[in-house]
């Protein structure tokens, strides 16, 4: 059985797709995993780690006052990085890793945003565990989302 990164590599190469990521919560962990894909230099455009809100706003177009732990933020991050890096599809991570709640959101609250040439959206997850567990689950689900988008393209 193929791993998500093997499936992503295969789908991106077969369909001639380019992939980008925007990361807040995962601080580069997702890009690191995507970059491990076979021939990733041919299809992985890159990523942006936008941890602080001013970076999200000025670089990726998240409107001032947007809740950083929201579907709106996640979708805008994905749309922004897709445009910035001229990619066919993009996924973004944002949320609360924990161990404590933040801005009224419990630890483990995660949103994955996505953007393609024709559609955008966000998925909500509530993960349990310590921050390392939350980050690991987020990267795993983000990779699965990238695979789904690439295989449907």
């Amino acid at each position: 059985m193929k791993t998500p990164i093997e499936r992503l590599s295969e789908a991106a190469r077969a369909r001639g797709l380019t992939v980008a990521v925007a990361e807040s919560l995962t601080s580069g962990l997702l890009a690191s995993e995507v970059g491990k894909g076979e021939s990733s230099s041919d299809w992985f455009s890159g990523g942006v780690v936008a941890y602080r809100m001013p970076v999200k706003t000025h670089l990726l177009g998240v409107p001032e006052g947007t809740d950083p732990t929201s579907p709106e933020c996640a979708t805008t991050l994905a749309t922004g990085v897709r445009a910035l890096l001229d990619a066919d599809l993009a996924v973004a991570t944002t949320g609360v890793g924990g161990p404590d709640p933040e801005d009224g959101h419990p630890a483990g609250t995660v949103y994955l945003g996505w953007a393609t040439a024709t559609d955008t959206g966000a998925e909500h997850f509530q993960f349990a565990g310590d921050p390392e567990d939350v980050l690991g689950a987020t990267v795993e689900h983000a990779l699965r989302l990238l695979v789904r988008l690439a295989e449907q393209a």
Side-chain angles (χ1 to χ4, degrees), residues 80-126:
V81 80
R82 182 182 168 276
L84 181 69
L85 300 181
D86 193 28
D88 296 307
L89 57 96
V91 165
T93 66
T94 192
V96 180
D100 300 315
E102 190 174 308
D103 297 327
H105 301 285
T109 303
V110 172
Y111 287 93
L112 298 179
W114 55 271
T116 67
T118 58
D119 207 3
T120 63
E123 297 182 3
H124 172 254
F125 298 92
Q126 188 64 51

